[in-house]
């Protein structure tokens, strides 16, 4: 990927080619190509994405797309920046904690709609206008709370890492359900009684205690697709709050 060309595309600094008077390319734009590619990745996964596959629903040849987008890598970069535009605004949040809650929940919602996106956030993607605005928004929420610049950045990275982990757990659970044809509850009903005969209190005392509490039968309380997302989010924020309080007492 040519960084200069990719950045020009992300920020729409390159002029789009002139459209023909009529024909299949009429109405073709970078935005339309990106939205089509996002739809394919949402439905089939990023591995299934190819320039040819994107061209088909647009009614053009794959070669026609290269007039607008240099290649697949640049297209994926544009796709990521486009879905990050779905993040909620942090304006009006009542303090840094509420702002980070809104940011994390918004990131999780994006991950649920676009499961292919979270792994890309940690890769070497170039920052487009939407991602840049998002970073400025969340860092702005941390300004003035007593953290230095390095700590502010570390807080956002910590939150992003937590969301990515929770999103991957949710994606894995949904994949397992599709592959097996069983929901978590249905799978547990089949396997739970079998495991109960093998997990004894004498050998596995801590696990037996948790098992017998019935928590495994309540996926919304820490298991299942969301993996206790809200519980974990609050604990992450508790740790951040403790750091901010420590800074304030120095």
């Amino acid at each position: 990927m040519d960084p200069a060309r990719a950045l020009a595309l992300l920020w729409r600094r390159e002029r789009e080619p002139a459209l023909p008077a009529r024909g299949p390319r009429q109405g073709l734009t970078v935005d339309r190509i990106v939205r089509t590619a996002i739809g394919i990745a949402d439905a089939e996964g990023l591995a299934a994405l190819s320039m040819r596959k994107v061209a088909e629903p647009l009614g053009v040849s794959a070669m026609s797309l290269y007039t607008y987008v240099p290649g697949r890598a640049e297209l994926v970069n544009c796709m990521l920046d486009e879905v990050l535009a779905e993040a909620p605004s942090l304006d009006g949040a009542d303090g840094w904690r509420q702002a980070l809650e809104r940011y994390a929940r918004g990131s999780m919602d994006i991950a649920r709609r676009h499961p292919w996106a979270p792994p890309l956030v940690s890769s070497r993607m170039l920052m487009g206008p939407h991602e840049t605005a998002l970073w400025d928004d969340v860092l702005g929420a941390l300004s003035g709370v007593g953290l230095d610049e390095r700590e502010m950045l570390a807080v956002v990275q910590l939150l992003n890492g937590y969301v990515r982990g929770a999103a991957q757990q949710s994606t894995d659970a949904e994949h397992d359900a599709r592959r097996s044809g069983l929901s978590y509850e249905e799978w547990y009903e089949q396997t739970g009684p079998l495991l109960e005969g093998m997990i004894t209190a004498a050998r596995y005392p801590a696990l037996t205690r948790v098992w017998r509490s019935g928590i495994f039968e309540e996926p919304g309380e820490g298991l299942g697709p969301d993996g206790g997302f809200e519980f974990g989010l609050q604990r992450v924020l508790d740790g951040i709050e403790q750091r901010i309080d420590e800074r304030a007492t120095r």
Side-chain angles (χ1 to χ4, degrees):
M1 182 168 61
D2 178 358
R5 183 81 188 274
L7 282 171
L9 181 67
L10 276 166
W11 291 81
R12 304 297 193 268
R13 296 295 172 85
E14 286 189 351
R15 294 186 60 183
E16 296 193 5
L19 298 172
R22 57 177 175 269
R25 283 177 54 196
Q26 190 170 9
L28 194 61
T29 63
V30 171
D31 289 341
R32 189 178 170 202
I33 292 169
V34 171
R35 287 194 298 269
T36 300
I38 290 171
I40 293 171
D42 289 348
E44 304 178 43
L46 197 61
L49 185 73
S50 68
M51 298 296 277
R52 180 169 304 188
K53 201 154 210 173
V54 175
E56 289 175 1
L58 293 171
V60 300
S61 67
M63 290 304 298
S64 298
L65 297 186
Y66 289 103
T67 308
Y68 296 82
V69 182
R72 185 181 183 277
E74 291 85 356
L75 175 58
V76 170
N77 210 149
C78 287
M79 290 163 59
L80 175 63
D81 193 63
E82 184 67 22
V83 300
L84 291 179
E86 300 172 14
S89 171
L90 304 186
D91 290 344
D94 184 16
W96 68 267
R97 182 158 184 148
Q98 189 178 88
L100 293 194
E101 285 180 351
R102 192 181 299 176
Y103 170 76
R105 290 172 186 146
S107 298
M108 190 64 175
D109 288 341
I110 291 173
R112 291 188 183 108
R113 290 190 294 267
H114 313 288
W116 51 270
L120 296 177
V121 175
S122 60
S123 60
R124 292 188 178 183
M125 294 283 108
L126 295 170
M127 292 178 69
H130 296 133
E131 184 176 9
T132 300
L134 183 58
W135 270 94
D136 186 69
D137 213 14
V138 70
L139 288 171
L142 289 167
S143 297
V145 301
L147 300 177
D148 62 31
E149 289 78 7
R150 184 180 297 276
E151 289 172 320
M152 289 166 60
L153 182 60
V155 163
V156 180
Q157 290 177 330
L158 171 64
L159 211 54
N160 285 342
Y162 173 70
V163 171
R164 279 198 299 273
Q168 187 61 57
Q169 186 173 355
S170 179
T171 299
D172 290 345
E174 291 175 6
H175 173 73
D176 290 343
R178 288 195 304 269
R179 184 180 58 183
S180 66
L182 299 172
S183 67
Y184 174 85
E185 291 80 3
E186 291 169 332
W187 174 82
Y188 179 80
E189 286 177 3
Q190 289 188 12
T191 61
L194 300 174
L195 284 169
E196 283 181 357
M198 300 179 181
I199 300 175
T200 63
R203 187 170 184 182
Y204 309 106
L207 177 58
T208 301
R209 176 188 172 191
V210 174
W211 182 283
R212 290 177 178 172
S213 73
I215 191 68
F216 285 93
E217 300 173 25
E218 303 172 12
E221 296 297 325
L223 302 173
D226 290 335
F229 174 75
E230 281 296 329
F231 176 83
L233 174 59
Q234 295 306 319
R235 302 296 75 74
V236 171
L237 294 174
D238 286 346
I240 296 170
E241 185 167 6
Q242 182 178 347
R243 181 60 176 176
I244 290 174
D245 290 344
E246 289 173 353
R247 277 289 196 176
T249 58
R250 290 183 181 177

